[in-house]
Amino acid sequence: MSNNPYKDYYDAINGGGEWAYVDAEKASERIKELEEIASLNNCSVESLLDEPWEGMGF
């Protein structure tokens, strides 16, 4: 998966592979998590995507 869950979701939906639904669901869950984090921190999801959150469990 990339650092951009929106791109991952788009790729999964349009990929049509065997695991497309699972990949789309994972990306959707990550988007929801990022939206919640952004809401709690009063910032945008895009600003979170610019940060190196990968090693922090997000």
Side-chain angles (χ1 to χ4, degrees):
M1 296 199 126
S2 73
N3 195 31
N4 187 337
Y6 296 107
K7 180 184 181 311
D8 292 339
Y9 183 82
Y10 178 81
D11 289 344
I13 294 299
N14 290 316
E18 184 176 337
W19 292 94
Y21 178 76
V22 174
D23 292 339
E25 187 64 28
K26 286 181 184 179
S28 179
E29 288 297 319
R30 184 153 180 252
I31 290 169
K32 289 178 187 176
E33 288 175 7
L34 288 172
E35 288 174 345
E36 183 177 344
I37 292 167
S39 174
L40 293 171
N41 290 297
N42 198 25
C43 64
S44 69
V45 173
E46 290 78 17
S47 68
L48 295 176
L49 294 177
D50 293 337
E51 297 294 326
W53 297 106
E54 290 301 318
M56 300 181 136
F58 297 117

